[in-house]
Amino acid sequence: MQEDILRVLITEEELQKKVHEIGSRISEDYKDKNLLLVSVLKGSVIFMADLMRAITIHARVDFMAVSSYGAGVKTTGVVKIIKDLDLPLEGYDILMVEDILDSGKTLDYLMDTLRQRNPKSIRIATLLNKPDRREVNIKADYSGFVVPDEFVVGYGLDYAEKYRNLPFIGVLKPEIYAEN
């Protein structure tokens, strides 16, 4: 697995430091609110687990699973909700927790969908931000790292369901995904 990585972009230590910084900011910003963290599976699960441990206030969690990539490297633009939220959103301050904000299409669709359920507020926390690839007008309220337009894996991010378990963010060698 390691031999497929071109280079380490963000180390495990850098990730943990940034997650704690974001968790502290969220704890302060939401201290008097009814916080519901919504993780978009599967990519954000590691970030979500670490982030919720870094948050020092009461928070509930829920999960959604969506599909827009298939086994490819670019979004199809068609979002399919595979697992919806279990909780009603009315009265909650929603914080969408994402692994990477790339084209923004999937998150834009989800935000529109969730707004129709009448939450008090809805904001975005993303570990990685790739603004060079943005195709819709969407911004993260909490962002860990801006990354270049390269294919990144690790810390929950995958290619064809592989590499999620790497403890760092690495750039995948192009020959690995060029075959598809």
Side-chain angles (χ1 to χ4, degrees), residues 32-72:
D32 297 320
K33 299 189 186 275
N34 193 14
L35 179 59
L36 174 63
L37 301 168
V38 174
S39 175
V40 183
L41 298 173
K42 298 176 189 169
S44 70
V45 72
I46 295 176
F47 176 46
M48 173 73 148
D50 286 347
L51 182 63
M52 57 194 252
R53 286 190 297 250
I55 292 173
T56 59
I57 59 170
H58 292 289
R60 294 189 74 179
V61 298
D62 206 344
F63 301 89
M64 292 187 86
V66 300
S67 175
S68 65
Y69 283 83

Side-chain angles (χ1 to χ4, degrees), residues 14-135:
E14 291 169 319
L15 286 166
Q16 292 308 312
K17 182 180 179 203
K18 185 60 75 174
V19 169
H20 279 83
E21 287 173 15
I22 294 170
S24 292
R25 285 184 47 219
I26 291 167
S27 298
E28 182 62 30
D29 293 350
Y30 284 85
K31 66 183 171 197
D32 297 320
K33 299 189 186 275
N34 193 14
L35 179 59
L36 174 63
L37 301 168
V38 174
S39 175
V40 183
L41 298 173
K42 298 176 189 169
S44 70
V45 72
I46 295 176
F47 176 46
M48 173 73 148
D50 286 347
L51 182 63
M52 57 194 252
R53 286 190 297 250
I55 292 173
T56 59
I57 59 170
H58 292 289
R60 294 189 74 179
V61 298
D62 206 344
F63 301 89
M64 292 187 86
V66 300
S67 175
S68 65
Y69 283 83
V73 297
K74 294 191 178 184
T75 182
T76 63
V78 177
V79 178
K80 178 180 171 187
I81 295 177
I82 299 167
K83 187 236 175 271
D84 206 342
L85 297 172
D86 295 325
L87 297 170
L89 300 186
E90 201 161 326
Y92 282 103
D93 294 288
I94 308 300
L95 184 60
M96 298 292 296
V97 179
E98 260 287 25
D99 54 354
I100 188 166
L101 183 51
D102 196 327
S103 74
K105 289 179 180 180
T106 301
L107 202 49
D108 189 53
Y109 173 84
L110 290 177
M111 297 282 284
D112 285 345
T113 301
L114 297 183
R115 276 188 199 100
Q116 296 172 22
R117 300 179 189 181
N118 300 316
K120 276 188 183 175
S121 67
I122 186 165
R123 297 172 82 189
I124 300 168
T126 187
L127 177 64
L128 304 179
N129 193 353
K130 201 183 275 191
D132 292 345
R133 302 247 321 164
R134 199 81 74 246
E135 295 180 25

